[in-house]
């Protein structure tokens, strides 16, 4: 009879056996069972359980799929972002290769920008055809589109991006401009004096300018009572503002990026040149130390990549005049191996890493019923990491269409070897097999946080 019962059991879609699962408070060697896109069980699977596919993860770690809350596709393509640059397909291939299963795309690096419901729909139509991991979009919020804000929220934006400096040139949209006494002033003075070498970039946006921008932003958040995330935190001074706001109970979150944790301005000046130019600039050893401290004690909530792809040609001009190069570096294919390497060196523990790259993003953005943790009922989003494998990051093996010199040649230990989105394997041993259009929009509606 028992045998008949087993035969009558329908097969589940996916069984991952013997991996070391990083759960909320423990690492457990057990099985992960996924059916219909959802995690249905965590625990030793019943003998005889049939699965359409079984993966042996013995010796490897299993993390919840990473969620990048800060990426820039170049979609929709337009005058300033010609076709051939990063699109949702190359972006999400890079994500799958790097262990990311959800991406939140920023609003003003495509044309039209996501500052109207129409702009939102146009971008969503494109992502529905091309994205192979899940995604959501920010809306842009500024004086130019006040009448669109509520409709954008209803349409399903995951949050709003508010600028503390001038929106990049050429965008047909007026953003909030605050902190104009900060970096713009420094920038104009340097240019007027002809100081355009590599070292000048840091001085165009010194630590004080970030401090001013963050204090202004936190002041606004305080007056309206909303949740706010400080994007790409890079300085000790900025971090101290975040700490103070948290201490008085404000809902202030902060993200930093692997490049601020692992590089300093010296790397730009001595080695990377314009390939190390992003906004804000790389900082000092002291800032870096403080960022690690903030990440480890929870003052910094998220690790995001600020994946900002740019073709090589737009970087090269920066060797002679750093202000002519585009600002931004890719990060989707390097962030997890870099952070796993940091974990192997004892600079961050694995629970904190998973919190910062998956769990906290899901909680803060109201999608934790679906994403961010290995638990029954959640989407079957996970990444298998071989914690012992060592490799060298190479620009020429990456899926991003960006120049990626920033971490080219860097040795890492701890490599994502399989990524699954809702139970579907989208990357295995570096081969991205996910189908364009498989990715779905992630709606936060319906969850209180
Ligand atoms: Zn950005």
């Amino acid at each position: 009879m028992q045998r008949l019962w087993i035969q009558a059991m329908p097969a589940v879609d996916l069984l991952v056996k013997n991996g070391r699962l990083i759960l909320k408070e423990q690492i457990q060697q057990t099985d992960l069972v996924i059916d219909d896109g959802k995690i249905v069980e965590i625990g030793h699977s019943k003998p005889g359980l049939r699965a359409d596919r079984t993966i042996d993860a013995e010796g490897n770690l299993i993390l919840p799929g990473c969620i990048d809350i800060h990426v820039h596709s170049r979609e929709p393509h337009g005058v300033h972002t010609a076709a051939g640059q990063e699109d949702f397909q190359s972006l999400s291939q890079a994500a799958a290769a790097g262990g990311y299963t959800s991406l939140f795309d920023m609003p003003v690096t495509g044309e039209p920008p996501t500052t109207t419901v129409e702009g939102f729909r146009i971008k969503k139509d494109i992502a529905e055809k091309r994205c192979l991991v899940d995604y959501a979009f920010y809306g842009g919020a500024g004086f130019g589109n006040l009448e669109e804000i509520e409709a954008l929220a209803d349409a399903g934006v995951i949050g709003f991006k508010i600028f503390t400096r001038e929106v990049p040139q050429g965008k047909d949209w007026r953003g909030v401009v605050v902190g104009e006494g900060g970096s713009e002033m420094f920038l104009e003075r340097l240019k007027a004096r002809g100081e355009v070498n590599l070292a000048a970039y840091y001085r165009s946006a010194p630590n004080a300018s970030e401090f001013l921008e963050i204090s202004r932003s936190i002041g606004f958040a305080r007056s309206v009572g909303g949740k706010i995330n400080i994007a790409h935190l890079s300085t000790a001074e900025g971090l101290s503002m975040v700490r103070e706001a948290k201490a008085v109970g404000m809902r202030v979150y902060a993200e930093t990026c692997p490049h601020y944790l692992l590089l300093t301005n010296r790397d730009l000046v001595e080695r990377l040149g314009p390939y190390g130019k992003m906004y804000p600039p790389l900082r000092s050893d002291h800032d870096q130390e403080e960022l690690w401290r903030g990440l480890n004690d929870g003052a910094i909530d998220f690790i995001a990549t600020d994946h900002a792809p740019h073709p090589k040609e737009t970087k090269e001009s920066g060797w002679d005049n750093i202000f002519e190069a585009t600002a931004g570096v890719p990060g989707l294919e390097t962030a997890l191996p870099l952070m796993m390497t940091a974990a192997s060196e004892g600079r961050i523990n694995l629970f904190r890493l998973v919190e910062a790259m998956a769990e906290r993003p899901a909680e803060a953005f109201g999608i934790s019923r679906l994403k961010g943790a290995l638990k029954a009922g959640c989407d079957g989003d996970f990444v298998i990491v071989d914690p012992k494998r060592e490799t060298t990051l190479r620009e020429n093996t990456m899926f991003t269409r960006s120049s990626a010199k920033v971490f080219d040649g860097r040795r890492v230990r701890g490599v994502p070897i399989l990524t699954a989105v809702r139970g579907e394997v989208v990357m295995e041993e570096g081969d991205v097999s996910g189908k364009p259009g498989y990715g779905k929009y992630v709606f936060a509606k319906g969850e209180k946080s």
Side-chain angles (χ1 to χ4, degrees), residues 181-368:
S183 55
E184 292 302 314
M185 178 185 77
F186 295 112
L187 181 62
E188 291 314 317
R189 277 193 194 169
L190 287 163
K191 281 185 181 167
R193 291 206 301 249
E195 292 186 40
V196 295
N197 62 7
L198 298 177
Y201 185 57
Y202 181 88
R203 299 209 303 281
S204 73
N207 287 32
S209 67
E210 180 168 287
F211 183 80
L212 288 171
E213 289 180 7
I214 292 177
S215 56
R216 191 97 55 116
S217 304
I218 289 176
F220 281 142
R222 181 169 219 148
S223 67
V224 299
K227 284 199 274 192
I228 184 171
N229 174 38
I230 306 297
H232 43 54
L233 182 74
S234 68
T235 63
E237 290 87 341
L239 177 60
S240 72
M241 288 293 303
V242 170
R243 284 188 192 281
E244 278 181 36
K246 286 188 181 216
V248 297
M250 285 185 67
R251 289 185 299 168
V252 170
Y253 299 84
E255 79 183 32
T256 194
C257 314
H259 41 262
Y260 300 118
L261 292 165
L262 298 167
L263 303 171
T264 66
N265 185 48
R266 271 198 318 278
D267 290 289
L268 181 151
V269 173
E270 294 171 7
R271 196 167 63 80
L272 293 168
Y275 295 97
K277 179 183 173 183
M278 74 286 293
Y279 186 84
L282 295 169
R283 303 291 184 185
S284 68
D285 291 327
H286 170 66
D287 293 303
Q288 200 178 74
E289 267 168 49
E290 286 300 303
L291 292 178
W292 277 110
R293 202 158 65 85
L295 180 62
N296 280 307
D297 69 21
I300 295 174
D301 300 272
F302 317 121
I303 295 166
T305 66
D306 192 6
H307 180 94
H310 291 287
K312 187 166 174 274
E313 312 81 77
T314 68
K315 287 286 189 186
E316 276 297 312
S317 54
W319 289 106
D320 293 330
N321 180 343
I322 188 64
F323 299 110
E324 292 199 345
T326 48
V329 295
L332 284 168
E333 287 159 273
T334 52
L336 183 56
L338 290 168
M339 294 313 297
M340 285 302 304
T341 307
S344 78
E345 293 163 350
R347 303 182 86 181
I348 184 171
N349 77 47
L350 288 172
F351 297 110
R352 188 69 203 104
L353 184 155
V354 166
E355 261 175 26
M357 298 182 80
E359 219 172 279
R360 292 285 287 157
E363 286 165 5
F365 286 84
I367 57 168
S368 58

Side-chain angles (χ1 to χ4, degrees), residues 70-72 106 109 161 165 231-232 255 279 305-308:
H70 189 159
V71 304
H72 300 267
M106 285 293 174
T109 44
K161 176 161 193 180
R165 62 190 176 115
H232 43 54
E255 79 183 32
Y279 186 84
T305 66
D306 192 6
H307 180 94

Side-chain angles (χ1 to χ4, degrees), residues 14 16 32 34 39 55 62-66 99 101 374 379-384 418-425:
L14 183 61
V16 187
L32 180 65
I34 293 172
I39 297 173
I55 295 167
I62 304 184
L63 285 63
C66 295
T101 54
L374 297 174
D379 287 350
D381 295 352
F382 65 91
V383 50
I384 303 181
L418 185 145
T419 307
V421 178
R422 287 174 281 110
E424 189 77 23
V425 173

Side-chain angles (χ1 to χ4, degrees), residues 96-113:
Y100 282 91
T101 54
S102 300
L103 305 175
F104 298 172
D105 192 40
M106 285 293 174
V108 300
T109 44
E111 294 164 32

Side-chain angles (χ1 to χ4, degrees), residues 141-144 161-169 173-185 212-213 216-217 220:
F143 297 127
K161 176 161 193 180
I162 302 172
F163 290 85
T164 60
R165 62 190 176 115
E166 191 68 75
V167 171
Q169 287 296 306
W173 179 69
R174 199 156 57 93
V176 172
V177 184
V178 297
E180 65 267 50
S183 55
E184 292 302 314
M185 178 185 77
L212 288 171
E213 289 180 7
R216 191 97 55 116
S217 304
F220 281 142

